[in-house]
Structure formats: structure tokens, C-alpha cells
Amino acid sequence: MSYPYQIKSLEEYHAAWKKSVEDPEKFWGDIAANFQWKKPWERVLDWNFKEPSVKWFEGAQLNITENCIDRHLHDKANQPAIIWEPNNPNDPQRILTYAQLHLKVNQFAHVLKNNGVKKGDRVCIYMGMIPELAIAVLACARIGAIHSVIFGGFSAQSIADRLQDAKSEFIITCDGAFRGPKDIPLKSVIDDALVSCPFVKTVVVYMHTRTPVSMINGRDIWWEDEIRKIEQKGNPDFPAETMDAEDPLFILYTSGSTGKPKGVVHSCAGYMVYTNYTFVNVFQYKPEEIHFCTADIGWITGHSYIVYGPLSAGATSLMFEGIPTFPDAGRFWDIIDKYRVNILYTAPTAIRSLMAFGLGPIQNKDLSSLRVLGTVGEPINEEAWNWYDEHIGKGNCPIVDTWWQTETGGVLISNMAGITPAKASYATLPFPGVQPILVDEKGNEITENNVTGNLCIKAPWPSTIRTTYGDHERCRTNYFATYENLYFTGDGAFRDENGYYRITGRVDDVLNVSGHRIGTAEVENAINMHTGVVESAVVGYPHDVKGQGIYAFVIYNGTHGDEELIRKDITATVSRIIGPIAKPDKIQLVPGLPKTRSGKIMRRILRKIAEGELENIGDTSTLLDPSVVEDIKNGKI
Ligand code: WTA
């Protein structure tokens, strides 16, 4: 397979961008013609951001798994689709060729159907990073069920919230997952979640860690037993369900500035076209190369650049179960050496944590196969960028800094490896089809360069968020109502004299901790559930490795005197309610919070204190009780 739409020079990029803006229908129609459709579209694009209503390739029918698997069988049947490296380097690796992936996805699609899953049903997937996770995702897509993958670091309560929101009656999980030295009992977390979700009818369990599990008769079934039944029938093919272009493909929950996480919905056709297009162009993928994206499939990066983007392009996608520092900080470099990896796509937080181990873990590792390096998830500081460039890329590999979001489905602003210029800590230029603009607080467009503003996008790209599951109004108010006729990203950005964008971070109350989005309101709600907590306020502060750390100011009037133990209790509560990923890094018990006369917490002041800028707090005269600020400053940890 070659990619006629792969951009090969800076001039081609500029021409493509211009064409995509002047005639998006022709531009994306030409690209979409390279995919396998069951029925062609009647109209490429129909949209308004008012409702919002965004429809791409309407009238077309397809199944994304035919594009990710079946169409590669004639010339790539024996090429690895997925290479799997286990958590423990001494355990056997696994390789699934396109033919084997086809077999396994077909088998599991039968399993889903035999157990009553139908097109449009929501299937929750809570698994570790093993090939069966990708197989489960693709089997859902094959039968037209809407998958909702939940990252393994979320708690039972978070799972229950998501199950209830999506009304998922079907769950796919494993007994446990390995993460570095830990063994996480996933099925047991699911069992806890199901106490409040009696509507769940079936739980399929894949045996991986051989952790003891309780299997409830009539509800819980083993993956392997179900597969055996299909094998006994001779492994018949599973005809891919016919999906309309705009049928939902998946839900992925993500944190916002208010309330509970939102179920971001992506649809079949646009998401397929855009993840493929960006995969091929960001990384300048060449057939047979090995692409190693270190994200977890529980996040959007794994959905788009481990599963759908690479597989739709017939690529070889390397999936890693473990963590970068286990059994030692040379793990990534060993994997690159072992498989001759060509593309490494990781998060700045991983780079920073590995930098801290010095150059020892890189020595004697052959990284010469690397051609392209990528980052995603948070701003990358220049120091980390330079280290990545010098010590991993050896000065020879372009670094793509890809800015995008769960809601955007694929990369919106990034350089293209070796094609458009890179600039340290800049995501640089918009992709074809993407029209970023900066606006001021009032929503007026800022047209000059060398300015900072709120980052918005003017028109839809194919994998624009379609809705938030079960609550379209929430989608409108969150993303399309702040500024009229614009998609608002929630990020701030600086634009330099060349029109390159540098993302400066969130402008709303969302934290980015180790590249994971966490809403301050969510953490506060969790803290407030702890008995004795009167009120809390959570802000971010700069953290050397995580990018942002979580700082919680808590008013506590409980009786358990020892502060250290109180902090531990609060941390345990957050872990229980949201999951270990949301644990505060610092908890300061305070006598009061800085509030305005109308009772609003002045987070600006708390942020300054958390950042350690004690001398530069700013105006406190509008506070109800300015003296509280002194108390908080004095107690800073
Ligand atoms: C941040 C991850 C700076 C940003 C794909 C965005 C980035 C949020 C970058 C989305 C980048 C992502 N540079 N910041 N290259 N990439 N972000 O939904 O704040 O998990 O809004 O999607 O991460 O996080 P999400």
C-alpha cells in the first residue's frame, strides 16, 4: 500500500492546506477515495457549530475493521499487525500478523454476538495493555457495538459512573494486569463497580495474570471458553456489520472543568479517514516500518495511534504492556533495540522521568533504527526536547510535537516529520483541514502574530467530536458556546512571527498530570467526600516530572488529630473515588479559603501560593477575609 495523500515537501504542505480550506469537500473526498467503502457518500460535509451538527461522508457505508484488517490481507497477511512486548522482559513476546488478527477479531466478534451484543450497544472494556484489548476494540467495531475503553488506573466508582452514563450491559476485562512490579486486580475492581450496576448482564474475562477471581454464575464468562466454542464451529468469518458513516464508533470519557467526565463520541467514517491521514503524514510512515506508541489504549492516543491510525494504514504497531522504568530505566531503549523500532511516540513526562536516570540506561543500546520521534499530551519543555533530540534521536531524527485532544480524535497542530520545520516546544503548523485562530476573552479574533490567546478552531475536520454521550447540550455548552461559531479547545496558545503555535496549557480548570487530564472539580468532589472535610480547593503547580502536580487546600474539622494520617486518609479517598492517577501530590490543611464577598474561591491566589510565588500574590483587597491568605502562606508545604 502506498499513500497517495502523503505530503512530501513543504510546498506540498502549503498547497494541501490551502486546498483543504478553499474546498474541503474536494480535499477530503479525494483522500477518502483511498479507503474501502460498502457504499459511497452522497455529500462530503454538512455542518453548523450552532447545534453543533457535524456530518462527514453522509450516505456512505463502511466498516472500519475492513479498512484496518481485511483490505490488507491480500498483500500483508503475514506482516505483523501488532507486536506485543510484555511487562516482564523474560516473558514471551507475541506477534499477530494481519491474518492472525483477522482470525482473532472475527472469533471475538462471534463471541460478542453469541452473548447478545448488538449493533449500537455500548460495551465497556477494562483491560491491561495486551493484544486482547486491541482485539476486543476491533471486534466491537466489527459488529457495530460502541466501545467505551476505561483506563486501568480508574477506580470502581469511576467505572460505575461510566457504566451508568453509557448504560453498558456488557463488560470485557482480564483477571489482572501487570504494570511494572505491580499486579492490578482488574476483575476485582469490576466486581466492586458492579455492586451499583445491576443492569450489567455479562462480563467476559480474559485470563492473563492468573490472579484469583470470583466468577459469578450466569454473569461472568471466560474469554477462552467462548473462543473454544467458535473454534469448534470451524472459525467461520464474521461478516463486518454495515455502518453508516455517522454511526458512533466509540465513547471515550474525559475530564472537563465541571462535574463528571464527559463521554466524547466519535463516528466511524470521519474518525477513520482523519486518524489514518494524520498517522501517515505526521510520522511520514513508510510501509513495513515499526511504529511504537507508548500510550495506553485507555486514552485517545492509544485509540488513534496504536489501533485505528496504524492498522488502517497497514502498519506494524508495537504495543507495550509495561512502564518505562521496569525492570530498569532502559526498558524503552531495549525495546527499540530488540525490534528495530523506527518511530517512537511518547509523552514529555516519560522523557523527563527517563532523563532523571542519566545516560547510563541508554549506553550500549542500539537506537540507530529510529527515524522519527514524537511527543504528545502536554507541552514539552526545551530541556526535554533537546535531550530527546540529542540522546535518543542522536541529532538525526525529526521530533514531531503533536497537539490534539480526545475531542479532536487526531492530531490538529504538528510538524510533519522531516517535511515541515520543527521548533523546540512548538507544535508549529496546523494540519490540512485545520483552521486554528486565537481569540481574546471576548471572542474577538487576534490576527497579529507574536501574541497569546485562547485557541479555537474555525471549521470542522473529519474527526471533530460529534456529541457527548446522552447529553448533546453538554457538548454544545462545553465546546461550541463559549465563542460563537468556533470550537473552543480549552487551551491557550502563543503564535510566533512565522505563524507557528506554541501551546501554553489549559485556560480552564483542567489539570494535565503526566499527560492525563484531570478536572480540579472532580478531585475536589472526591476530597469533599471524606468525612471531616468541610471544603477544598485544588490547583495545579509545576512539577519536574509530571508537568503539573495536584495541590489541594483542605479545610478539615474532623477529630483525627495527626495531620500526616489525615492526609493519607484524604489520599485514599481520592484513590477510591477516582483512581490512583488523581491522588494529590500535596495536601495542605488550611483554616479557610480565600473567597470573594460573593463566596467565590479566588483560585488565582491559591495557584500563586502553590507555585511558591508567595511575594507576588496580587490584589487581595476584594477578599472577604484577606488575613486567611497569610495563614495559608505560612502553612505552605
Ligand atoms: C494537552 C491527548 C501541549 C492540551 C492527545 C490538550 C498538549 C490536552 C499537547 C488534551 C502538545 C496535548 N503540547 N499540550 N503537543 N498535546 N496537550 O484529551 O492541554 O488526553 O487540551 O488528549 O492535552 O488531552 P487529551
Side-chain angles (χ1 to χ4, degrees):
M1 189 197 239
S2 68
Y3 313 108
Y5 44 89
Q6 193 169 50
I7 288 169
K8 286 284 153 219
S9 66
L10 185 58
E11 295 69 45
E12 270 184 46
Y13 160 75
H14 284 300
W17 192 83
K18 189 160 177 279
K19 185 174 159 196
S20 75
V21 171
E22 287 169 2
D23 192 352
E25 300 210 28
K26 169 92 175 89
F27 181 81
W28 290 108
D30 286 351
I31 292 164
N34 294 282
F35 293 79
Q36 190 171 313
W37 302 90
K38 289 175 186 281
K39 189 174 154 234
W41 52 89
E42 281 146 25
R43 180 154 187 202
V44 174
L45 173 61
D46 183 21
W47 69 285
N48 72 70
F49 275 173
K50 236 183 173 50
E51 293 177 52
S53 161
V54 174
K55 292 179 179 157
W56 284 90
F57 310 111
E58 245 194 317
Q61 292 183 323
L62 75 158
N63 187 289
I64 195 168
T65 68
E66 289 184 333
N67 287 274
C68 287
I69 308 173
D70 303 50
R71 68 168 170 157
H72 307 312
L73 294 178
H74 68 282
D75 64 343
K76 291 189 161 105
N78 298 319
Q79 180 199 299
I82 294 176
I83 296 177
W84 179 73
E85 171 70 14
N87 178 63
N88 183 334
N90 300 320
D91 288 343
Q93 68 188 52
R94 287 172 60 192
I95 292 181
L96 292 181
T97 63
Y98 273 97
Q100 289 164 331
L101 183 64
H102 181 260
L103 171 70
K104 288 189 176 291
V105 170
N106 277 266
Q107 284 177 326
F108 200 66
H110 278 294
V111 170
L112 293 174
K113 187 169 181 202
N114 289 350
N115 285 285
V117 179
K118 297 180 304 298
K119 177 177 179 174
D121 288 352
R122 280 79 50 214
V123 172
C124 160
I125 304 178
Y126 186 67
M127 301 176 91
M129 279 286 285
I130 53 175
E132 280 65 26
L133 167 52
I135 291 164
V137 161
L138 290 163
C140 286
R142 194 153 185 99
I143 96 165
I146 303 168
H147 56 78
S148 161
V149 184
I150 302 178
F151 175 63
F154 281 112
S155 68
Q157 181 63 51
S158 295
I159 296 168
D161 290 344
R162 287 157 171 76
L163 289 171
Q164 286 158 4
D165 187 76
K167 300 176 189 67
S168 311
E169 297 177 356
F170 200 95
I171 299 178
I172 308 168
T173 188
C174 337
D175 51 350
F178 296 121
R179 267 182 82 73
K182 291 192 203 138
D183 173 347
I184 301 159
L186 297 181
K187 170 62 164 65
S188 134
V189 181
I190 289 286
D191 289 336
D192 288 346
L194 294 195
V195 171
S196 56
C197 300
F199 52 86
V200 170
K201 294 192 181 126
T202 311
V203 182
V204 184
V205 184
Y206 181 80
M207 192 192 287
H208 177 56
T209 54
R210 201 56 194 94
T211 305
V213 289
S214 61
M215 293 291 283
I216 305 298
N217 208 355
R219 189 193 71 189
D220 300 350
I221 54 180
W222 290 109
W223 174 300
E224 293 84 348
D225 289 349
E226 296 301 303
I227 295 289
R228 222 164 288 126
K229 293 182 198 162
I230 312 300
E231 284 170 350
Q232 279 158 7
K233 289 188 187 141
N235 287 325
D237 274 357
F238 189 99
E241 181 70 39
T242 299
M243 305 298 286
D244 288 336
E246 281 299 328
D247 278 341
L249 174 63
F250 66 83
I251 306 172
L252 188 57
Y253 285 86
T254 190
S255 294
S257 48
T258 51
K260 287 192 173 169
K262 303 177 282 276
V264 172
V265 176
H266 283 289
S267 61
C268 294
Y271 178 81
M272 169 183 78
V273 170
Y274 197 72
T275 53
N276 176 292
Y277 181 77
T278 46
F279 172 72
V280 162
N281 280 298
V282 167
F283 304 106
Q284 289 289 306
Y285 185 79
K286 297 188 189 131
E288 293 178 28
E289 282 189 331
I290 296 181
H291 170 77
F292 177 18
C293 167
T294 70
D296 191 292
I297 295 178
W299 307 107
I300 191 68
T301 306
H303 281 60
S304 301
Y305 300 110
I306 295 178
V307 181
Y308 289 112
L311 297 181
S312 67
T316 297
S317 185
L318 195 153
M319 196 174 161
F320 172 43
E321 181 183 24
I323 58 170
T325 49
F326 178 83
D328 60 50
R331 194 70 166 100
F332 278 0
W333 324 129
D334 284 328
I335 295 173
I336 291 163
D337 189 335
K338 174 172 174 188
Y339 296 103
R340 313 292 302 144
V341 167
N342 306 103
I343 302 166
L344 174 67
Y345 189 31
T346 193
T349 187
I351 298 169
R352 286 191 300 263
S353 78
L354 294 174
M355 270 168 74
F357 289 89
L359 298 179
I362 307 171
Q363 260 145 31
N364 306 321
K365 309 288 161 72
D366 182 357
L367 305 183
S368 62
S369 56
L370 285 174
R371 187 179 60 77
V372 174
L373 304 176
T375 70
V376 58
E378 49 177 322
I380 178 163
N381 47 314
E382 273 192 51
E383 195 192 353
W385 197 97
N386 288 329
W387 187 88
Y388 201 31
D389 178 40
E390 186 179 339
H391 298 293
I392 306 307
K394 317 287 181 199
N396 281 325
C397 300
I399 298 178
V400 288
D401 179 349
T402 64
W403 173 83
W404 57 296
Q405 310 178 296
T406 305
E407 295 84 347
T408 72
V411 173
L412 292 198
I413 303 182
S414 170
N415 51 320
M416 296 181 182
I419 302 292
T420 64
K423 179 170 176 183
S425 81
Y426 280 69
T428 73
L429 295 170
F431 246 68
V434 177
Q435 301 181 55
I437 71 167
L438 298 180
V439 299
D440 64 19
E441 290 303 322
K442 296 199 182 82
N444 301 316
E445 178 167 2
I446 308 171
T447 49
E448 328 66 276
N449 285 343
N450 284 318
V451 284
T452 303
N454 290 344
L455 179 63
C456 296
I457 315 285
K458 252 185 194 169
W461 58 98
S463 59
T464 304
I465 178 177
R466 296 303 198 265
T467 189
T468 43
Y469 191 81
D471 191 351
H472 193 62
E473 177 60 11
R474 195 162 176 211
C475 174
R476 191 186 71 79
T477 49
N478 259 286
Y479 305 107
F480 297 92
T482 315
Y483 305 113
E484 206 178 330
N485 285 325
L486 295 175
Y487 166 78
F488 177 44
T489 65
D491 279 328
F494 172 79
R495 186 171 54 217
D496 78 0
E497 64 279 3
N498 298 313
Y500 290 9
Y501 289 87
R502 181 165 64 82
I503 309 303
T504 50
R506 302 289 305 194
V507 293
D508 54 9
D509 288 321
V510 173
L511 305 180
N512 191 328
V513 181
S514 299
H516 300 151
R517 270 164 75 169
I518 297 173
T520 53
E522 259 179 273
V523 183
E524 287 164 5
N525 290 343
I527 293 174
N528 296 349
M529 287 178 79
H530 184 63
T531 171
V533 170
V534 179
E535 197 175 5
S536 64
V538 165
V539 297
Y541 71 98
H543 188 288
D544 284 349
V545 171
K546 297 178 171 187
Q548 271 190 311
I550 302 178
Y551 197 125
F553 297 89
V554 179
I555 307 176
Y556 181 85
N557 76 353
T559 46
H560 299 84
D562 185 314
E563 278 209 17
E564 202 41 46
L565 285 176
I566 294 167
R567 285 198 193 97
K568 283 190 178 152
D569 290 343
I570 291 174
T571 305
T573 308
V574 174
S575 206
R576 170 75 62 193
I577 302 297
I578 306 177
I581 54 169
K583 281 194 225 169
D585 298 277
K586 293 185 180 177
I587 298 174
Q588 181 182 343
L589 302 186
V590 293
L593 291 166
K595 286 191 179 169
T596 59
R597 289 190 185 88
S598 58
K600 215 172 151 253
I601 297 175
M602 294 262 278
R603 285 162 188 286
R604 173 175 60 78
I605 293 175
L606 294 175
R607 244 177 256 129
K608 288 275 185 205
I609 296 174
E611 285 165 7
E613 286 201 39
L614 301 186
E615 302 312 315
N616 189 15
I617 296 284
D619 183 15
T620 55
S621 61
T622 55
L623 289 180
L624 191 59
D625 174 12
S627 72
V628 79
V629 175
E630 287 311 307
D631 290 335
I632 299 176
K633 271 164 59 173
N634 292 336
K636 166 149 182 21
I637 45 176

